[in-house]
């Protein structure tokens, strides 16, 4: 059965963990979906892992929609969630409605993900949900704010920061989000948030108490040259792919193929 946002609260009540993988094109989407991911996230991390940028900031909405359309074609069962890129939703509620609407209408997304939980954003989340566009929240280390944070650092270490992140998560649930990504925050804070809200928390570098976990698929598969310390690398596809491609090149150069 295809996954829908209506299942998330029930999954939390049942204690059923949510598995989330990222995808950036047709093949990575098929891999994530056929592996059993509940959510295939077209994360804006694709700016870094698929397009070679140093941060997620340069990614445009047009680029995201191009990738999201390819992902959509590769997914049969999972819920497809599309990240709204930097500046495609922060300037005004109207902008956010238009960007999210394009993700649903042009790319077939079933939900969008927005970073942050400050009051202006909460109004945006409320309006999107009112208009029938499901929202996944994202607090803690929100990579679009990397310049504000001074790097991809763990957030929520001081009591003040922890309180702010906790309050943002509570407010996002109230605004209508169906789940919230908790990125790179202390495990104790993630557990406190998880116990306080009725929608699933999806952790990445946030400990084992979250209701689900997300990893960037290039990290899981060992395709990237660098992985964050909290990622688990399940195989080394990069080395295997280079070895296979090298064999082909040598075979051609030594007239062994065809
Ligand atoms: O962009 C992304 O891949 C993400 C996940 C790491 C949660 O936001």
């Amino acid at each position: 059965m295809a996954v829908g946002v209506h299942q998330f609260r029930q999954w939390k009540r049942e204690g059923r963990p949510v598995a989330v993988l990222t995808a950036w094109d047709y093949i990575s989407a098929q891999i994530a979906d056929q592996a059993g991911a509940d959510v295939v996230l077209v994360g804006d991390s694709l700016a870094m892992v698929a397009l070679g940028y140093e941060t997620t900031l340069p990614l445009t909405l047009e680029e995201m929609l191009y990738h999201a359309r390819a992902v959509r074609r590769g997914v049969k069962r999972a819920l497809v969630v599309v990240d709204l890129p930097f500046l495609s939703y922060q300037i005004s509620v109207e902008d956010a409605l238009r960007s999210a609407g394009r993700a649903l209408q042009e790319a077939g997304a079933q939900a969008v993900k927005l970073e942050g939980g400050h009051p202006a954003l909460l109004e945006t989340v409320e309006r999107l949900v009112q208009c029938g566009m499901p929202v996944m929240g994202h607090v803690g280390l929100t990579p679009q704010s990397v310049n504000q944070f001074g790097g991809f650092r763990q957030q929520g270490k001081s009591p003040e920061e922890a309180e702010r992140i906790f309050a943002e998560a509570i407010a996002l649930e109230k605004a209508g989000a169906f789940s919230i990504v908790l990125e790179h925050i202390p495990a104790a804070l993630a557990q406190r948030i998880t116990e306080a809200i009725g929608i699933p928390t999806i952790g990445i570098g946030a400990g084992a108490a979250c209701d689900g976990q997300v990893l960037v698929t290039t990290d899981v598969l060992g395709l990237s040259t660098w992985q964050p310390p909290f990622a688990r690398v399940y195989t080394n596809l990069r080395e295997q792919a280079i070895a296979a491609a090298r064999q082909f090149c040598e075979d051609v150069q030594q007239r062994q193929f065809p």
Side-chain angles (χ1 to χ4, degrees):
M1 192 181 74
V3 176
V5 294
H6 62 285
Q7 289 164 288
F8 281 66
R9 275 184 185 272
Q10 191 189 333
W11 282 352
K12 174 150 182 150
R13 282 196 297 274
E14 294 167 355
R16 181 210 185 278
V18 185
V20 182
L21 282 169
T22 66
W24 55 94
D25 64 6
Y26 181 64
I27 290 179
S28 58
Q30 285 182 318
I31 290 171
D33 191 47
Q34 289 173 24
D38 300 303
V39 175
V40 171
L41 171 66
V42 196
D44 62 356
S45 57
L46 75 82
M48 299 166 78
V49 302
L51 301 181
Y53 290 120
E54 285 188 1
T55 71
T56 58
L57 302 184
L59 189 75
T60 65
L61 181 62
E62 297 305 326
E63 287 171 322
M64 177 50 103
L65 294 175
Y66 171 84
H67 284 271
R69 283 194 293 269
V71 168
R72 180 65 270 188
R73 290 192 285 270
V75 173
K76 288 195 162 65
R77 175 191 163 271
L79 185 82
V80 176
V81 179
V82 169
D83 254 348
L84 291 188
F86 179 61
L87 280 196
S88 71
Y89 61 96
Q90 291 97 335
I91 296 171
S92 67
V93 175
E94 286 75 16
D95 260 10
L97 286 168
R98 231 171 257 120
S99 301
R102 289 191 67 192
L104 268 67
Q105 206 166 37
E106 296 175 31
Q110 289 150 308
V112 293
K113 179 162 78 60
L114 277 63
E115 294 187 5
H118 52 82
L121 190 91
L122 295 170
E123 193 195 332
T124 298
V125 172
E126 249 176 55
R127 282 290 287 141
L128 290 174
V129 174
Q130 278 166 6
C131 294
M133 299 190 248
V135 174
M136 178 181 269
H138 185 162
V139 299
L141 170 55
T142 45
Q144 292 176 14
S145 301
V146 61
N147 292 312
Q148 189 73 32
F149 298 147
F152 295 103
R153 302 171 194 286
Q154 192 187 45
Q155 300 297 304
K157 285 202 276 195
S158 71
E160 299 74 32
E161 257 183 33
E163 278 320 303
R164 179 183 52 76
I165 294 169
F166 181 79
E168 286 176 352
I170 302 286
L172 279 165
E173 177 182 21
K174 212 162 152 230
F178 72 92
S179 65
I180 306 179
V181 169
L182 305 180
E183 181 162 351
H184 208 7
I185 59 172
L189 173 59
Q191 179 165 3
R192 201 177 140 219
I193 294 171
T194 301
E195 287 169 359
I197 62 179
I199 53 174
T201 56
I202 313 293
I204 174 162
C210 297
D211 300 301
Q213 297 289 329
V214 53
L215 281 179
V216 174
T217 299
T218 48
D219 294 338
V220 172
L221 300 182
L223 279 170
S224 34
T225 48
W226 173 90
Q227 293 89 22
F230 48 76
R232 186 178 289 176
V233 182
Y234 284 81
T235 186
N236 62 350
L237 278 197
R238 187 184 184 85
E239 279 173 29
Q240 291 178 45
I242 291 173
R246 181 180 295 124
Q247 191 62 58
F248 165 77
C249 294
E250 286 173 8
D251 284 354
V252 171
Q253 288 152 358
Q254 292 163 16
R255 298 198 181 281
Q256 299 296 311
F257 178 83

